[in-house]
Amino acid sequence: MPHPLPNSPSTLLVLLRWLLLLIPLAFVVGSLNALFLYLLDYASHTRADNPYLLYFLPLAGLVVVFIYRRFGKNSESGNNLIIDEIHQPGAGIPARMAPLVLISTVVTHLFGGSAGREGTAVQIGGACSAAYGKLFKLSGRDYQILLSAGVAAGFSALFSTPLAATIFAIEVLAVGRIRFDSVIPALFAAILADLVCSAWGTPHTQYKIDFLEHVMLFEHVVHVDLIMLGKVLIAAVAFGITGYLFGETVFVLKDIFKHVFKNPYLIAVIGGLIVIGIVSLIGNQDYIGLGVNSYREGGVSIISAFNEGGAEWYSWMLKLLLTAITLAAGFKGGEVTPLFFIGATLGNTLAWIMGAPVDLFAAIGFIAVFAAATNTPLACTIMGVELFGSDHLLYFAVACFVAYYFSGHTGIYSAQRVAVPKS
Amino acid sequence: MPHPLPNSPSTLLVLLRWLLLLIPLAFVVGSLNALFLYLLDYASHTRADNPYLLYFLPLAGLVVVFIYRRFGKNSESGNNLIIDEIHQPGAGIPARMAPLVLISTVVTHLFGGSAGREGTAVQIGGACSAAYGKLFKLSGRDYQILLSAGVAAGFSALFSTPLAATIFAIEVLAVGRIRFDSVIPALFAAILADLVCSAWGTPHTQYKIDFLEHVMLFEHVVHVDLIMLGKVLIAAVAFGITGYLFGETVFVLKDIFKHVFKNPYLIAVIGGLIVIGIVSLIGNQDYIGLGVNSYREGGVSIISAFNEGGAEWYSWMLKLLLTAITLAAGFKGGEVTPLFFIGATLGNTLAWIMGAPVDLFAAIGFIAVFAAATNTPLACTIMGVELFGSDHLLYFAVACFVAYYFSGHTGIYSAQRVAVPKS
């Protein structure tokens, strides 16, 4: 092993090179995500003001399928293409992936698909960094690091959680293991992209846990309440199985759609019609779109799930079903924000059943179902700290790792490798 | 890959088995650490009240060397033996390691050696879990997981940072990579051991960063100040090189002592005499012992380093030198608390040079020099959150990972493997 002192100057040069290389990339990814968030907000409000837009969802599905089939090249593979390319560069990520996913996600949300947005942010980051790498003729390890940095930048700008984004970008590649060799470039890209996106004035949702405990044991202050820890454990098992169920439901529905209807245009139309049918049965539009806010008094949303009575006991199932149908039908956006919704509303219900603080359990569900479905428990623990503060760090960690442990080896990204089996 | 739903009951059984298995272990490790911290506090105060005790340091060295040579078996290898045993069970960890390291660490501190305490806590955890594993006839992977849990429990009870302890226990095994397969048992052991140690009424030092920034860019709130980020970067390079220097100094001094004096008793006496000589030249006892508090008005300590003027520009060098001599001479305890001292005082000085907030830079140095010397940047980032809160999370992460990047591949634990080279 070389000693670092004689190597320090070259180590410093490598660091400075990455720093300079990443500034323009972070600026572009951060700005595109600011634009994306602005358009998404506009689409969500427009749909809320004009509920009839939902009836055009099948038509919107045709448009999304058309633009991907006509212009997409291999963009359709989305996040999986980027994960594969980081593992083994070769297939190439087309630059057009960025505008395609941006437009089709906005279309999905404008017409009431139930979808997320992290897929879009990750693909904007991945496509921009791939194009940027081509420009500077990066290859091999450098190209892989650049892609990881692009993913971190996109995720970071979207949720304004730079460290969680960094860990996510390296943790999502393989189950059960993380490697540190691209952390520093990814962290810089994530911090800068978030800075750029925020400086554009993009608002990010603020969450808050009011519950604060001061636990004593034999008259001495301790970090956790054992009863509460037990409740978190039970909830975490439920979150883990739910994360698994989500991934399986999407896969199974995709399979069924493909075998029964075959034609992708037909699948999009049928998927759109099923969503319209379910929403008509429900009688409100709480379970479509992003679900961060509800646009009606007393509606169910991620935000409402942090308050007592802010979710029905079946809310998580409806969101799971509608999102799985939307994504299996070919609409775009991603899974993460719906996973937040599913976790927060399930957490709300479990807190009610077990007599636990609703806001804490909504927060735990928010991160733990995501951790389970994507196999990224460490990123989600850190996301908990970045969104909700460090008071409940230990409950966050227990919930994310236990949920991860119960979610099997598949997850929602089929390109993810299994490095270290869970048991 | 098996689907988890049919597996959930057996997954649950595995989890419950670990939980039950770890409760008694965590109780023992937490209680022994409470005893250790009590004795350590007693020894530190006694030495502060009776400064002449320092003159018996050479004699204390003879005692420490004697008990290890007479009773130690292979205990002398300390943390490295535990790391080796987790990688490849075989050599066996003798149960006597726990009392031996406890007694010799207290002796080291009572007579004014400059040393830490995490080695002791880790070895108490490792030795107890090895004995416990023998009792239940655990072998193979189960035995390795149990050892990791023991290390996490010891570290956690000592510093009252359960999540950092968990990550430390799995991150310290290899440079550049972590595997998740023992996280859950380690996390439970860490949470419970900390609970037990705290419930015994063991006080843990409270640190606080008053500096709080509200950064605006183009009238919008953002997470980091770019100027501050630049200063953190520069400081992190210094912290990384310092962490490397510490490890190298200990190794080189050990080599010199061995080649020049050969006899371990002679080495301990000479080492003790050198410490007495340096302390006489300094004229105060700030740089021996743990260094968490100073026992005189205006003295330098870890706590004082969080205030302006709380450290001299050369404080970090003195502590580095005295600790390296103490440990190379065969005294016991560990390196981490001295690394906190070195980092916090160097951070204090760098803040003064660069015009940065002293408390923030003391905190960053505290965790980053430790991250560099032990190659555990993630554990140290999380320790930052557990000790200082989450306001400065991004600076913590940048500092720990950049410092880690500049510290070479050796570190203070020679048994640590290199899994993924830094560059």
Side-chain angles (χ1 to χ4, degrees):
Chain A
M1 287 300 137
H3 278 198
L5 278 192
N7 277 343
S8 286
S10 75
T11 308
L12 200 61
L13 281 181
V14 173
L15 192 72
L16 287 176
R17 171 170 167 273
W18 274 117
L19 207 53
L20 289 177
L21 209 55
L22 290 172
I23 290 173
L25 178 66
F27 183 80
V28 172
V29 174
S31 301
L32 278 176
N33 267 294
L35 173 68
F36 169 53
L37 283 169
Y38 171 79
L39 291 175
L40 196 58
D41 192 54
Y42 180 79
S44 300
H45 275 95
T46 306
R47 204 253 310 152
D49 294 340
N50 306 281
Y52 64 84
L53 283 175
L54 174 63
Y55 299 111
F56 295 94
L57 187 62
L59 203 64
L62 291 178
V63 172
V64 170
V65 172
F66 173 75
I67 56 179
Y68 268 88
R69 289 181 76 87
R70 177 76 183 76
F71 308 108
K73 282 169 81 176
N74 52 348
S75 301
E76 182 74 40
S77 311
N79 290 7
N80 286 318
L81 176 62
I82 296 172
I83 294 173
D84 273 334
E85 191 77 359
I86 296 177
H87 279 303
Q88 186 65 53
I93 299 170
R96 63 185 71 182
M97 180 190 254
L100 284 184
V101 74
L102 198 159
I103 294 166
S104 53
T105 303
V106 172
V107 167
T108 296
H109 282 277
L110 180 62
F111 296 100
S114 172
R117 47 191 171 167
E118 103 295 342
T120 318
V122 163
Q123 289 168 46
I124 288 175
C128 288
S129 54
Y132 195 70
K134 232 177 266 173
L135 194 71
F136 284 90
K137 300 198 185 355
L138 294 189
S139 62
R141 194 70 205 121
D142 278 352
Y143 176 67
Q144 294 168 307
I145 291 176
L146 188 73
L147 287 185
S148 293
V151 170
F155 192 100
S156 169
L158 184 72
F159 294 120
S160 197
T161 55
L163 187 56
T166 303
I167 304 293
F168 178 83
I170 56 174
E171 192 179 26
V172 74
L173 301 174
V175 175
R177 186 192 65 194
I178 69 174
R179 293 161 50 113
F180 287 173
D181 43 352
S182 50
V183 170
I184 294 179
L187 184 57
F188 279 122
I191 290 176
L192 293 177
D194 167 50
L195 195 79
V196 170
C197 187
S198 298
W200 281 109
T202 313
H204 291 103
T205 315
Q206 299 293 321
Y207 301 96
K208 197 162 172 295
I209 302 177
D210 285 320
F211 172 72
L212 199 67
E213 56 181 0
H214 185 73
V215 194
M216 308 282 286
L217 195 62
F218 303 123
E219 301 177 14
H220 300 293
V221 178
V222 294
H223 276 134
V224 292
D225 174 7
L226 284 174
I227 306 287
M228 186 74 81
L229 192 65
K231 292 176 182 176
V232 169
L233 257 176
I234 295 169
V237 175
F239 295 141
I241 295 174
T242 305
Y244 163 75
L245 272 182
F246 178 84
E248 285 299 296
T249 311
V250 176
F251 283 130
V252 168
L253 277 179
K254 263 189 189 161
D255 255 18
I256 293 178
F257 282 169
K258 213 168 163 183
H259 280 93
V260 177
F261 305 111
K262 292 181 177 85
N263 183 308
Y265 290 102
L266 185 60
I267 291 173
V269 170
I270 300 276
L273 288 173
I274 299 176
V275 171
I276 294 173
I278 296 179
V279 171
S280 306
L281 284 175
I282 299 173
N284 65 57
Q285 299 201 352
D286 289 352
Y287 300 98
I288 54 175
L290 269 183
V292 175
N293 304 291
S294 171
Y295 294 95
R296 66 186 184 99
E297 187 81 21
V300 176
S301 67
I302 297 179
I303 299 280
S304 81
F306 282 74
N307 301 308
E308 264 183 64
E312 309 290 345
W313 63 267
Y314 50 78
S315 291
W316 66 276
M317 283 189 266
L318 287 180
K319 187 70 184 174
L320 191 156
L321 191 65
L322 281 167
T323 308
I325 295 166
T326 301
L327 296 177
F331 291 91
K332 299 293 162 187
E335 295 88 352
V336 173
T337 307
L339 288 169
F340 291 164
F341 188 112
I342 294 165
T345 52
L346 179 57
N348 181 296
T349 299
L350 293 174
W352 172 69
I353 294 173
M354 296 192 287
V358 165
D359 50 2
L360 176 62
F361 275 62
I364 288 176
F366 183 112
I367 53 177
V369 173
F370 172 30
T374 57
N375 290 313
T376 58
L378 193 60
C380 292
T381 301
I382 289 169
M383 177 175 251
V385 173
E386 289 189 289
L387 292 180
F388 310 111
S390 58
D391 290 326
H392 305 289
L393 172 62
L394 293 176
Y395 298 135
F396 294 165
V398 168
C400 289
F401 276 95
V402 171
Y404 156 82
Y405 186 57
F406 276 88
S407 75
H409 290 93
T410 47
I412 58 175
Y413 304 125
S414 56
Q416 195 173 51
R417 314 270 168 98
V418 178
V420 180
K422 294 181 184 181
S423 58
Chain B
M1 285 301 135
H3 280 200
L5 278 195
N7 277 344
S8 286
S10 75
T11 308
L12 199 61
L13 280 182
V14 173
L15 192 72
L16 287 176
R17 173 171 165 271
W18 274 116
L19 206 53
L20 289 177
L21 209 55
L22 290 171
I23 290 173
L25 178 67
F27 183 80
V28 172
V29 174
S31 300
L32 279 176
N33 267 292
L35 173 68
F36 169 53
L37 284 169
Y38 171 79
L39 292 175
L40 196 58
D41 192 54
Y42 180 79
S44 300
H45 276 96
T46 306
R47 205 254 309 151
D49 294 340
N50 306 283
Y52 64 85
L53 283 174
L54 175 62
Y55 299 111
F56 296 94
L57 188 61
L59 204 64
L62 291 179
V63 172
V64 169
V65 172
F66 174 74
I67 55 179
Y68 268 88
R69 289 181 77 87
R70 178 74 182 76
F71 308 107
K73 281 169 84 176
N74 52 349
S75 301
E76 183 73 42
S77 311
N79 291 6
N80 286 317
L81 176 61
I82 296 172
I83 295 173
D84 272 335
E85 190 76 359
I86 296 177
H87 279 303
Q88 186 64 54
I93 300 171
R96 62 186 71 183
M97 180 191 252
L100 284 184
V101 74
L102 197 159
I103 293 166
S104 54
T105 302
V106 172
V107 167
T108 296
H109 283 278
L110 180 62
F111 296 99
S114 172
R117 47 188 171 170
E118 102 296 342
T120 317
V122 163
Q123 289 167 45
I124 289 174
C128 289
S129 53
Y132 195 69
K134 230 177 268 171
L135 194 71
F136 284 90
K137 301 199 184 350
L138 294 188
S139 62
R141 193 70 206 122
D142 278 351
Y143 176 66
Q144 294 169 305
I145 292 176
L146 188 74
L147 287 183
S148 293
V151 169
F155 192 100
S156 168
L158 185 72
F159 294 121
S160 198
T161 55
L163 187 57
T166 303
I167 304 292
F168 177 83
I170 55 174
E171 191 179 27
V172 74
L173 301 174
V175 175
R177 186 193 65 191
I178 69 174
R179 294 160 51 114
F180 288 172
D181 43 354
S182 50
V183 170
I184 295 180
L187 184 57
F188 279 122
I191 289 176
L192 294 178
D194 167 50
L195 195 78
V196 170
C197 188
S198 297
W200 281 109
T202 313
H204 291 103
T205 314
Q206 300 293 322
Y207 300 96
K208 197 162 172 295
I209 303 177
D210 285 321
F211 172 73
L212 198 68
E213 54 181 3
H214 186 75
V215 194
M216 307 281 286
L217 195 62
F218 303 123
E219 302 177 14
H220 300 292
V221 179
V222 294
H223 276 134
V224 293
D225 173 8
L226 284 175
I227 306 287
M228 187 74 80
L229 191 65
K231 292 176 183 175
V232 170
L233 257 178
I234 295 169
V237 175
F239 294 140
I241 294 173
T242 305
Y244 163 74
L245 272 182
F246 177 84
E248 284 300 294
T249 310
V250 176
F251 284 129
V252 168
L253 277 180
K254 263 190 189 159
D255 256 18
I256 293 178
F257 281 169
K258 212 169 167 183
H259 280 93
V260 176
F261 303 111
K262 292 180 178 84
N263 182 307
Y265 292 100
L266 185 60
I267 291 174
V269 171
I270 300 278
L273 288 173
I274 299 177
V275 170
I276 294 173
I278 295 179
V279 171
S280 307
L281 284 175
I282 298 173
N284 64 59
Q285 298 201 352
D286 289 352
Y287 300 98
I288 53 175
L290 270 182
V292 175
N293 304 289
S294 174
Y295 295 94
R296 64 185 186 100
E297 188 79 21
V300 176
S301 67
I302 297 179
I303 298 279
S304 80
F306 283 72
N307 302 308
E308 264 183 64
E312 308 291 344
W313 64 267
Y314 50 78
S315 291
W316 67 276
M317 283 188 267
L318 288 180
K319 187 69 185 172
L320 191 156
L321 192 65
L322 281 167
T323 308
I325 294 166
T326 301
L327 295 177
F331 291 92
K332 299 291 161 186
E335 295 88 351
V336 173
T337 306
L339 288 169
F340 291 164
F341 188 113
I342 294 165
T345 52
L346 179 56
N348 180 297
T349 299
L350 292 173
W352 172 68
I353 294 172
M354 296 192 288
V358 166
D359 49 3
L360 177 62
F361 275 62
I364 288 175
F366 183 113
I367 53 176
V369 172
F370 171 30
T374 57
N375 290 312
T376 59
L378 193 60
C380 291
T381 301
I382 288 168
M383 177 175 251
V385 173
E386 290 188 288
L387 291 179
F388 311 111
S390 60
D391 291 328
H392 306 289
L393 173 62
L394 292 176
Y395 298 135
F396 293 165
V398 167
C400 289
F401 276 95
V402 170
Y404 156 82
Y405 187 57
F406 277 88
S407 75
H409 289 93
T410 46
I412 58 175
Y413 305 125
S414 56
Q416 195 173 51
R417 315 269 167 99
V418 178
V420 180
K422 295 181 183 180
S423 58

